[in-house]
Amino acid sequence: MTDRAVTDRAVGARPGSDRAGSARAGSARAGSARAGSDRIVAAEVLVTSPGRNFVALKIVTADGLVGWGDATLNGRELAVAEYLREHVCPILLGRDPARIEDTWQYLYRGVYWRRGAVTMAAIGAVDLALWDIKGKAAGMPVSQLIGGAVRDRVLCYTHATGADTAALLDAVDATRARGFQAIRVQTGVPGLGAIYGVARDGAGYEPAGRGVGPVEETWDTDAYLRHVPGALAEVRAHVGPELALLHDAHHRLTPNQAARLAKALEPVELFWLEDVTPAENQEAFRLVRQHTVTPLAVGEIFNTIWDCKDLIQEQLIDFIRTTVVGAGGVTHLRRIADFAAVGQVRTGCHGATDLSPVTMGAALHFDTWVPNFGIQEYMRHTPETDAVFPHAYSFSQGLMQPGDAPGHGVDIDETLAAKYPYDPRQLPVARLEDGTMWNW
Ligand code: KDG
Ligand code: MG
């Protein structure tokens, strides 16, 4: 795979070349609405692995503007890279970069095979790159373009993890010392080995592993349910009432088990309990909701407004976790957020390290604009990643701000990116003790 790493060919033509010209003509023949002056002349996919894999989309316009999008789908990166290269980049050429909505509809409706993680990440990448270009053309940050900020800085949370409760309390203290006002707490479970969300060797949690196949973890829901309420109660007693605490059950429980956990955690007064049961069947949350007032968050694996329709319509959740790359960019996430506002559901964008700084930058612009904002997840990227993706956003005292650079404020150092070739990695899988495959 290394031979194809990093340098994925550019699809496109130089300003004024035949290819850009014929695409222009095609657009006019298709009867698209009044043309703007600029045109997309190149679209290029870049894969880089400065500590972990990222897929980026670069769109270049005839006016010389460059927009960057994130297309990273953890563990399935090359599927999106290839989808973009083969199916999307060629049809972007000649399009007016200012017509973001039309391009979104063109890629969503035009594909016929709607939705899905790969398609929507590809659309998300195009959308982010086009908002970046629009911002650069206007000399304005994306938050300004979508209506202007309603807040300058946004509350964010990060992760504290420990193999046991004592280690978790130490991690919480260290995280508070970095200024965080909201912390997601994950603990090891007695009798189980490595499990979701718990870092090894004091390093930041990073699930994607190297090897021929995925790492296999063993899961026991009863052991988890016996341990977690007590461990989180100890954390609450340790930190006092004010610190916001969050927890992620990562899709492991049945609706009944989820209801039991959410009820047992009520005294901990969580900011949210995340992915407490799988949400493909949105109705599953009705049972959980009927039994608890613990706030519920879901949606980091959702791709469209349809994935959360019943959850929002019936007010079965409190926070929607979908972020810009997973849900087809800023264009579609705004729709989800406006719909969520009807049910007083607030946003809480996914922000794990497997989303590139491009997603973080764009999400922060969205966060400063969105009226029904809840919180933003923030896991620090490695210094290598930060160097490859110079960015305008910053963190201070538990809050983040996107900066005021035109566009989304995240650039890519292509020369540096080329030094980190694609590094095949996979997310782990989970099995029950009897060998049954379970949700990771
Ligand atoms: O790629 C998978 C991770 O993004 C996911 O496991 C992280 O659950 C997660 C979270 O809440 O950040
Ligand atoms: Mg999660």
Side-chain angles (χ1 to χ4, degrees):
M1 286 305 228
T2 45
D3 57 333
R4 42 190 316 227
V6 181
T7 20
D8 303 307
R9 72 183 179 276
V11 176
R14 303 207 175 280
S17 77
D18 287 341
R19 189 156 186 185
S22 62
R24 251 197 304 277
S27 173
R29 271 200 307 278
S32 60
R34 194 171 60 82
S37 59
D38 203 4
R39 284 288 176 270
I40 294 172
V41 294
E44 181 180 350
V45 178
L46 177 151
V47 181
T48 182
S49 191
R52 67 162 1 279
N53 293 312
F54 297 109
V55 180
L57 174 69
K58 178 186 183 183
I59 293 181
V60 184
T61 77
D63 286 351
L65 295 171
V66 172
W68 286 106
D70 180 21
T72 310
L73 182 61
N74 199 5
R76 294 291 184 271
E77 295 87 1
L78 298 186
V80 190
E82 208 59 16
Y83 184 105
L84 281 167
R85 250 187 249 121
E86 296 301 326
H87 305 295
V88 176
C89 292
I91 59 172
L92 291 176
L93 301 182
R95 296 186 66 80
D96 179 351
R99 294 181 181 275
I100 298 178
E101 184 65 45
D102 185 60
T103 297
W104 198 96
Q105 300 289 338
Y106 183 65
L107 296 175
Y108 182 80
R109 293 175 192 270
V111 73
Y112 183 62
W113 311 108
R114 297 181 186 197
R115 306 162 66 185
V118 173
T119 300
M120 296 308 288
I123 295 177
V126 175
D127 190 76
L128 296 188
L130 294 184
W131 280 107
D132 197 24
I133 286 169
K134 193 182 274 297
K136 286 169 178 165
M140 288 182 191
V142 168
S143 58
Q144 189 74 291
L145 298 174
I146 60 179
V150 301
R151 61 189 70 78
D152 295 327
R153 296 189 296 166
V154 301
L155 179 68
C156 63
Y157 74 92
T158 198
H159 303 183
T161 82
D164 55 31
T165 311
L168 175 58
L169 296 182
D170 287 347
V172 168
D173 288 343
T175 309
R176 283 181 104 180
R178 288 165 50 206
F180 281 96
Q181 304 168 32
I183 304 179
R184 188 188 91 161
V185 286
Q186 304 291 137
T187 165
V189 172
L192 296 184
I195 60 166
Y196 168 76
V198 181
R200 280 153 285 218
D201 312 326
Y205 179 63
E206 168 51 68
R210 290 194 182 86
V212 179
V215 168
E216 302 223 345
E217 296 173 353
T218 304
W219 180 248
D220 178 346
T221 304
D222 290 332
Y224 168 83
L225 289 175
R226 280 194 299 272
H227 181 68
V228 164
L232 296 199
E234 279 194 59
V235 177
R236 175 53 80 202
H238 180 75
V239 299
E242 282 174 18
L243 188 78
L245 295 175
L246 303 85
H247 180 70
D248 190 345
H250 222 247
H251 324 270
R252 305 289 170 92
L253 315 184
T254 64
N256 185 280
Q257 291 166 333
R260 279 167 50 206
L261 177 68
K263 201 167 168 179
L265 287 174
E266 280 176 4
V268 179
E269 300 199 348
L270 290 178
F271 183 95
W272 79 33
L273 176 61
E274 180 186 338
D275 287 341
V276 71
T277 194
E280 287 104 318
N281 176 15
Q282 298 177 38
E283 288 184 11
F285 276 70
R286 208 174 286 144
L287 188 141
V288 185
R289 194 63 153 179
Q290 279 163 0
H291 290 281
T292 185
V293 290
T294 291
L296 302 173
V298 73
E300 70 183 29
I301 63 170
F302 289 176
N303 309 127
T304 71
I305 200 164
W306 307 105
D307 295 328
C308 44
K309 178 176 156 292
D310 299 343
L311 292 168
I312 290 172
Q313 209 154 269
E314 297 184 34
Q315 294 184 235
L316 301 179
I317 55 170
D318 300 277
F319 295 93
I320 182 72
R321 296 265 299 128
T322 313
T323 194
V324 289
V325 61
V330 170
T331 297
H332 193 64
L333 192 63
R334 287 170 82 188
R335 282 202 176 107
I336 294 177
D338 283 341
F339 178 49
V342 174
Q344 298 193 51
V345 173
R346 294 189 284 156
T347 64
C349 287
H350 187 206
T353 34
D354 47 274
L355 310 175
S356 93
V358 171
T359 282
M360 182 55 71
L364 287 168
H365 283 283
F366 165 83
D367 293 340
T368 55
W369 161 79
V370 69
N372 46 323
F373 172 75
I375 200 166
Q376 170 67 50
E377 184 179 19
Y378 173 53
M379 287 171 74
R380 272 190 307 197
H381 287 109
T382 61
E384 292 79 8
T385 297
D386 284 338
V388 168
F389 295 85
H391 50 261
Y393 63 77
S394 58
F395 167 86
S396 173
Q397 291 305 308
L399 305 171
M400 297 190 78
Q401 56 103 2
D404 52 14
H408 54 52
V410 184
D411 202 359
I412 297 189
D413 180 334
E414 293 176 71
T415 312
L416 195 54
K419 295 192 174 141
Y420 299 103
Y422 174 67
D423 176 16
R425 292 197 187 198
Q426 305 200 44
L427 288 170
V429 298
R431 289 186 189 276
L432 302 183
E433 280 171 330
D434 69 359
T436 309
M437 273 295 298
W438 203 244
N439 309 317
W440 175 71

